[in-house]
Amino acid sequence: MQESTMNTITAAELRARIAGGELPGQEYTLLDVREPHEVELESIDGDVHIPLDQVVERRGELDPSRELIVYCAGGIRSARAIEALEAAGYGGPMTNLEGGIKAWSASA
């Protein structure tokens, strides 16, 4: 079986896009798949929160015509969310935030 290559973005690249005026909710959707207690501690402005265990059943809330940038704490659950959405037939472009919120915080 051929291993698919997942699109990724670094925290610095995402910060540059936001600084350049590409805000979440416009050209792309920023999806946080962490648990609610994690979101309370820190999140990225403009994101949408759908916990990993709900992402497939709630995929209808996502716009497949926009890029979906997915993040979690460290990048593992967001990769699982992308794989689950692909398996469920979600057709939009998806990108994983490398290192998740930890990398985002470290890049500030």
Side-chain angles (χ1 to χ4, degrees), residues 10 23 30 42 48 55 62 71 78-79 95:
T10 66
L23 304 177
L30 184 58
E42 181 177 21
V48 172
V55 77
L62 304 169
Y71 80 97
S78 51
T95 303

Side-chain angles (χ1 to χ4, degrees), residues 13-91:
E13 289 168 338
L14 181 56
R15 283 190 184 279
R17 284 179 67 172
I18 292 171
E22 285 187 55
L23 304 177
Q26 294 176 356
E27 294 88 7
Y28 61 95
T29 300
L30 184 58
L31 176 64
D32 182 351
V33 297
R34 297 174 300 150
E35 293 300 312
H37 68 273
E38 295 174 281
V39 175
E40 287 175 20
L41 299 174
E42 181 177 21
S43 63
I44 302 172
D45 288 344
D47 68 359
V48 172
H49 176 242
I50 302 176
L52 174 60
D53 64 353
Q54 298 175 21
V55 77
V56 170
E57 67 189 43
R58 292 177 59 189
R59 68 188 179 277
E61 297 174 33
L62 304 169
D63 181 352
S65 70
R66 288 187 192 169
E67 178 186 11
L68 185 64
I69 299 176
V70 188
Y71 80 97
C72 62
I76 303 299
R77 285 176 287 172
S78 51
R80 287 189 189 139
I82 289 171
E83 291 165 355
L85 285 166
E86 284 176 345
Y90 182 81

